[in-house]
Amino acid sequence: MTETIHDRIKERLRIMDLSPQAASMKAGLSKDTLRKLLANRDQLPTGKTLSALAPALEVSEQWLLTGQDSGSGQPLQPHQDVRVANIELPANSAMPKDVPVLGTAAGSHHRGAFQLTSDAIDYVRRPPALMGTKDIYSLYVEGSSMEPQYWQGDLVYVHPHKPARSGDAVVVQCRIGEGEPEGTVEATIGLYVRRTGEALIIRKHNPPAEIEIRNEAIISYHKVLTMNELFGI
């Protein structure tokens, strides 16, 4: 039985097959948050960190703090009112863990709350339909403006060479403003509407809005793959 919050965090990282950096990014925190916390057993997370971390690790705050949840002593598992499909899932050994996670893509209406790195913060498994596909990468969604299509902490797979059509989800990579470290890139997620001679237009869900991103700020935009495309259905 685990005895400290640090032990419980490590247990969830192991069960979910996440690195501390990936879990931090999934929670919308700085990528070094968990690494620093786990390196100092005398340090406890702030309330804000705890609130962000619990859903990312799919447990309750109470379980992280005490190891108990409503007397069960077990982490809360997310309830899903769905029926399991009658299909055989591929074994993990058939899906190499070689798709880089490059940071987070903003599910927000405002810039500055998201990160894209040049180096991978983690690697995730390659779905069957993407075997042999080059340059695939993944990101964690941050924020709530794409709910209910994408939720905070959702992992998306991005294909840089597949053309986006109207209505497709896309990740837009943008140059940042002055005063930021050189080479830093922002990424935001939305539904592709159209591109004009002046700007790219994407749509957000929550609240409904169309966002205009000037062409001069755009480095590239890439299609987010659907579940059907990930599994070749």
Side-chain angles (χ1 to χ4, degrees):
M1 179 181 294
T2 57
E3 296 181 352
T4 71
I5 189 171
H6 299 78
D7 295 326
R8 287 186 284 277
I9 290 172
K10 289 178 180 178
E11 178 187 354
R12 293 305 294 167
L13 293 178
R14 178 186 61 79
I15 291 172
M16 299 180 71
D17 197 19
L18 285 175
S19 69
Q21 292 90 341
S24 296
M25 299 291 273
K26 182 180 179 182
L29 303 167
S30 167
K31 68 178 181 179
D32 291 325
T33 299
L34 267 186
R35 179 183 62 79
K36 293 178 180 178
L37 176 65
L38 294 176
N40 184 359
R41 294 183 68 86
D42 294 327
Q43 180 183 348
L44 294 176
T46 65
K48 180 179 178 181
T49 297
L50 189 67
S51 296
L53 191 58
L57 296 180
E58 299 179 7
V59 295
S60 69
E61 294 179 36
Q62 181 183 352
W63 185 85
L64 279 179
L65 286 171
T66 68
Q68 296 183 350
D69 210 2
S70 301
S72 68
Q74 298 295 324
L76 281 178
Q77 298 299 323
H79 173 71
Q80 297 180 338
D81 189 16
V82 296
R83 184 174 57 188
V84 178
N86 186 24
I87 60 174
E88 185 176 347
L89 294 177
N92 282 349
S93 59
M95 297 186 292
K97 198 172 182 181
D98 64 355
V99 177
V101 181
L102 298 184
T104 60
S108 67
H109 290 278
H110 304 288
R111 301 176 61 187
F114 39 98
Q115 309 165 54
L116 190 67
T117 65
S118 57
D119 299 321
I121 62 169
D122 200 4
Y123 288 89
V124 292
R125 298 198 181 278
R126 180 178 293 268
L130 301 184
M131 295 300 175
T133 304
K134 295 182 178 180
D135 302 324
I136 295 294
Y137 64 94
S138 58
L139 299 166
Y140 287 113
V141 175
E142 182 172 308
S144 60
S145 77
M146 289 304 292
E147 294 177 1
Q149 185 172 358
Y150 299 106
W151 298 85
Q152 164 86 17
D154 279 354
L155 181 74
V156 295
Y157 286 77
V158 186
H159 195 319
H161 308 307
K162 197 175 184 70
R165 301 172 298 180
S166 178
D168 285 342
V170 293
V171 166
V172 186
Q173 298 184 15
C174 301
R175 299 177 182 86
I176 61 169
E178 296 181 1
E180 297 291 342
E182 184 177 355
T184 304
V185 177
E186 294 179 339
T188 190
I189 186 171
L191 301 184
Y192 180 83
V193 178
R194 62 186 178 276
R195 191 168 192 181
T196 69
E198 292 77 35
L200 173 68
I201 314 299
I202 60 174
R203 180 179 299 116
K204 300 281 190 173
H205 290 316
N206 182 34
E210 288 192 355
I211 307 298
E212 181 179 287
I213 304 174
R214 304 296 296 177
N215 285 335
E216 56 266 26
I218 296 174
I219 298 172
S220 60
Y221 65 96
H222 300 152
K223 175 177 167 58
V224 176
L225 295 175
T226 66
M227 290 297 293
N228 286 353
E229 291 170 324
L230 291 177
F231 289 92
I233 299 173

